[in-house]
Amino acid sequence: AAEQFCAWLSLKLGIAVRLPTEHEWIHIAQGGSLDEPVLDSVAWYEANSQHSTHPVAQKQPNGFGLYDVLGNAAEWVITDTRRPFAMGGGYRDDAEQTTTTSSQKQVSAWNQSDPQIPKSQWWLADCSWVGFRFVIDATDEHMNTLKELRDE
C-alpha cells in the first residue's frame, strides 16, 4: 500500500516518489552522526510511549532536522531482495529494537484479525506501529515546483 501511494503521488506530482532503500533510511536515521542518539530524547518506544503513538515533533529532531525517525512508528523501506522491512522500531518496541539499524520483517500476525478470505497482503489490520516516509527523486526544477505547491 505504501508503494502504491508513492506510485500515485508520482503520477499526481509528475516526479519520482518512492520508499527509501534500507541504506538511505539508515543514513536518514543517523542524522549525520555515526553515534546512536539518546533514545528518550528522540523516540517514543516501549519504555516511554504509554503503548500508543504520539503526535509528530514531540521529541527532538535528528541532525537532519527530521522528527520521529526512530520509534513512534517503524517505517517501510525497500530492500535489495524486494522484501518489505520496517526500520527503526515503533512505540511498542524496546530500546534494542529502536535503533538506526533495527528492522522487522512482516509476519502473518500483523494481519490476524483481517476478516477477508483470503487475507489482504496490504491491509495489515493488526499493525498500528508501522508507517512510512517517502523519498523524492527530483531535479532543482522539480524542487522549485514543490516549493510553489507548498506555498499555495
Side-chain angles (χ1 to χ4, degrees), residues 67-87:
Y67 292 92
D68 297 309
V69 181
L70 297 178
N72 215 14
E75 298 180 5
W76 289 120
V77 300
I78 297 298
T79 64
D80 295 340
T81 63
R82 297 293 301 162
R83 295 253 185 208
F85 279 89
M87 301 288 294

Side-chain angles (χ1 to χ4, degrees), residues 8 14 23 31 52 54 87 92 95 98 107 110 116 132 141-142 151:
W8 170 83
H23 297 291
S52 180
H54 293 266
M87 301 288 294
R92 66 184 204 116
T98 311
V107 295
W110 291 9
Q116 302 177 92
F132 68 98
E141 182 181 331
H142 289 132
D151 294 338

Side-chain angles (χ1 to χ4, degrees), residues 19-81:
L19 294 177
T21 66
E22 180 179 10
H23 297 291
E24 287 171 330
W25 191 92
I26 290 170
H27 177 73
I28 290 166
Q30 289 173 336
S33 173
L34 295 180
D35 298 326
E36 287 290 331
V38 177
L39 205 52
D40 278 330
S41 67
V42 298
W44 295 109
Y45 63 108
E46 189 271 332
N48 68 3
S49 69
Q50 296 82 40
H51 309 291
S52 180
T53 56
H54 293 266
V56 174
Q58 302 298 302
K59 297 284 187 174
Q60 294 176 5
N62 72 9
F64 292 142
L66 300 173
Y67 292 92
D68 297 309
V69 181
L70 297 178
N72 215 14
E75 298 180 5
W76 289 120
V77 300
I78 297 298
T79 64
D80 295 340
T81 63

Side-chain angles (χ1 to χ4, degrees), residues 76 84-86 104-111 120-122 124:
W76 289 120
F85 279 89
Q104 301 175 51
K105 185 169 55 168
Q106 179 180 329
V107 295
S108 60
W110 291 9
N111 209 22
S120 170
Q121 310 174 46
W122 303 283
L124 303 178

